[in-house]
Amino acid sequence: MNRNPAFLRTRQRLAGLYAGTMGLILLVFGLGFYRAIAHDQWQSLNRKLVTIAGTLHDGIEPALAEVGQVEPVVEHFLPGVVCVADKSCETAIAGEQRHIVGMVQQENYYVRFIDQTGKLLATVGQVPDYEQNAYSPSSEQPQTRIDTDGIAYREITLFLKTNDQQPWGYIQVGRSLTEYETVLHHLRWQLMLGLPTVMVLVLAASWWLSNLAMAPAYRGYLQIQQFTADAAHELRTPLTVIRSTIDFILGEPQLTEVDSRQTLKIIERQNNRLAHLVQDLLLLSRLDLEPIPLQQPCSLATIATDLIEEFSAMAIAAHLTLLAEIPPNDPFEILGNEEQLYRLLANLIANAIQYTPVGGIITLTLRRQSREILVEVADTGVGIPLADQKYIFDRFYRVHADRAIHTGGTGLGLAIAQAIARAHQGNIHLISRPNQGSTFTLHLPLPRRKTILENHNT
Ligand code: ADP
């Protein structure tokens, strides 16, 4: 296929389209995946922040007795980690609040307590260094803040009251966004490296798939090419003979009547051959294009008997015995096209006569087998070599080309027979041994009895 420029171009275009479509799908999927992960991480980060801030707020607030007083309430909730402003920090973790402390420490959260004026009262963890009071106490939603080093933090500020409802100040809980950004950074890299790698695989797969997709079309194209070349070749021989015969007549000023008749006979023979060929080609193309109507009840027994009668003279002339094995009282009826079935069997019998030497026997047998009718045409003729058997039903294929040309064969007889069998949902099988003979068996499926009766009545 790659040697044919038109097919190669189409294959490249098809592979490009496959790869482009797949690439686009992958890109959209990759972007969607990235956005989903980023969204998920962001939501989970905010949720955790809100939960921790809420837990600390709800635990601390009921215990706050005095405005501006941090100790001992905050130390009770965050023992061992809190740094009270202007005092040294505690470091030992103890007591029943270990769980909250552990969570705050593990995930690198920081906590700040500030009074209403923004004055820092106490801190927990690594508190970022950004401008004091640059918070928005009006919102209780997490906000993003950037410290003096340009590091982003997510922070939530909650209002605190004393247990007698006096405004106490604020608790601010936050964490750095570095970890979140690192996760997304890694994901971006994985996608950026992964997508091109997958694209290379997609491209290779597309190239292979385009070959698979185009293979039937290419086979069809080769068959048509072969068929056209064969048809042209078949037409050329009689045309050349006719042309040279005409040239001979034109070059001969005094042609006797005997010579004229002889040359005209040559032209007639070649003309018949051409007509035969064109007729066969037309029939084949019709069989290819339109389905045969299969409503006619046809008796295969009648067709077989007629054929035996018709070919017996030819068989006698060729010194052959033509036998029929047709069980009595069975019409072997199927639904089909009588004319075409007649043609099919005539082709098989004509071939058998043609390829069986003097003294041979040709037997036409009809029998039933499960849901089929079998019509066998067996001869004791020259047979067909095994290597040729798989091509025998191909158009213009001839094993004994010299002999066939001599007898006017076109190489289309078996192709037509097989096309008619297929149009009847049947098939022709061949068993043959060189120099022992050939058996062509036509398998035709039996119609349901009801269908035959219906068609008899119409
Ligand atoms: P043709 O018009 O040449 O007979 P067919 O399609 O009928 O074309 O047959 C194709 C070829 O198959 C023949 O040329 C011949 O070589 C071979 N063939 C067909 N029938 C027989 C047979 N009964 N015995 C041996 N060879 C056969």
Side-chain angles (χ1 to χ4, degrees), residues 32-43 180 183-184 187:
F33 180 70
Y34 174 79
R35 286 194 62 143
I37 296 273
H39 180 75
D40 204 46
Q41 291 275 329
W42 186 250
Q43 293 290 88
Y180 163 79
V183 169
L184 291 192
L187 190 63

Side-chain angles (χ1 to χ4, degrees), residues 292-293 296-300 302-303 306 335-344 424:
I292 304 178
Q296 222 181 339
C298 311
S299 162
L300 289 167
T302 311
I303 296 176
D306 287 356
L335 286 181
N337 182 307
E338 199 172 289
E339 196 189 318
Q340 305 287 18
L341 288 169
Y342 195 92
R343 167 103 202 227
L344 185 168
H424 284 78

Side-chain angles (χ1 to χ4, degrees), residues 347-348 351-352 354-355 379 382-384 392 394 397-401 404 408-415 438 440:
N347 278 359
L348 295 183
N351 275 349
Q354 198 169 318
Y355 298 105
D379 63 56
V382 293
I384 298 165
I392 205 73
D394 288 359
Y397 193 82
R398 281 187 297 222
V399 186
H400 319 96
T410 58
L412 292 173
L414 287 180
S438 311
F440 286 86

Side-chain angles (χ1 to χ4, degrees), residues 49 110 112 128 130 134-136 141-145 153-157 172-175:
L49 196 64
Y110 64 81
R112 298 199 312 169
Y130 43 72
Y135 63 93
S136 159
Q141 289 304 311
Q143 289 169 359
T144 304
R145 299 183 68 181
Y153 291 85
R154 197 72 177 149
E155 190 182 272
I156 184 164
T157 305
Q172 290 185 308
V173 183
R175 64 172 295 180

Side-chain angles (χ1 to χ4, degrees), residues 255-263:
L255 210 64
T256 63
E257 202 193 318
V258 180
D259 285 344
S260 317
R261 285 197 167 277
Q262 244 169 16
T263 44

